[in-house]
Amino acid sequence: MNAQAVPIPEGHHGVTPYLTVAGAVSAIDFYTKVFGATEVFRFESPGGRIGHAELSIGGTVVYLSDEFPDMDVRGPLTVGGTPVMLHLYVEDVDAVAQRAVDEGATLIRPVADQFYGDRGGKLRDPFGHVWWIATHIEDVPPGELRARAEQQFGGEQG
């Protein structure tokens, strides 16, 4: 073990999403076009599949790989969906949502102003991952947030 190595690599912040997809090269292209991702690293395994890639999206590192069913590594399209949603703040949520749809994403919940101070919407990318994309538009104090939630949900909060 190298005594010089830092325990948490620079640019990593606790939890790092690791996305598995069928078609990692296409996914890298999609995330670059739609979310402004920057490819930091790519390792191609024998046979041309992406064994591991690192992207920077909004200053956060996201790992990505192709599917490797022989190692029980499968993406959401193969397993029938995902229970995980990724949240991404962007400068212009309307433009990003439109770009995502233009590039093959499915809009699940249209972009709209939310009671808690964001403008956001939900989409499924062409690889089966679900994203909530948002732009923060208003700072809402806690008391006002509770009042808006009660109005939005009729007093039922979870």
Side-chain angles (χ1 to χ4, degrees):
M1 186 161 136
N2 182 345
Q4 302 293 324
V6 295
I8 300 172
E10 185 177 335
H12 291 71
H13 313 283
V15 175
T16 301
Y18 205 129
L19 307 180
T20 298
V21 299
V25 171
S26 295
I28 291 169
D29 186 50
F30 176 87
Y31 298 139
T32 299
K33 285 180 184 174
V34 173
F35 299 140
T38 302
E39 185 175 335
V40 177
F41 175 80
R42 179 189 299 204
F43 172 75
E44 291 186 24
S45 65
R49 290 185 290 175
I50 301 297
H52 178 80
E54 297 180 12
L55 308 175
S56 177
I57 302 176
T60 298
V61 174
V62 175
Y63 293 161
L64 181 81
S65 79
D66 265 307
E67 294 183 312
F68 289 85
D70 53 316
M71 295 189 296
D72 201 29
V73 177
R74 295 175 176 85
L77 295 178
T78 299
V79 300
T82 178
V84 175
M85 180 170 49
L86 299 152
H87 187 285
L88 177 64
Y89 277 113
V90 296
E91 293 287 328
D92 183 347
V93 67
D94 293 282
V96 172
Q98 187 58 59
R99 207 165 41 242
V101 169
D102 291 347
E103 292 294 328
T106 302
L107 198 57
I108 298 170
R109 186 169 164 193
V111 172
D113 292 351
Q114 306 299 323
F115 72 91
Y116 47 84
D118 286 355
R119 180 167 177 75
K122 186 176 178 181
L123 60 89
R124 181 176 296 106
D125 71 30
F127 312 95
H129 290 285
V130 176
W131 298 78
W132 181 267
I133 55 174
T135 299
H136 188 67
I137 58 173
E138 177 187 15
D139 293 327
V140 182
E144 177 67 17
L145 182 62
R146 280 190 286 283
R148 289 181 184 186
E150 284 183 28
Q151 183 179 17
Q152 175 84 20
F153 300 111
E156 295 181 51
Q157 295 182 34

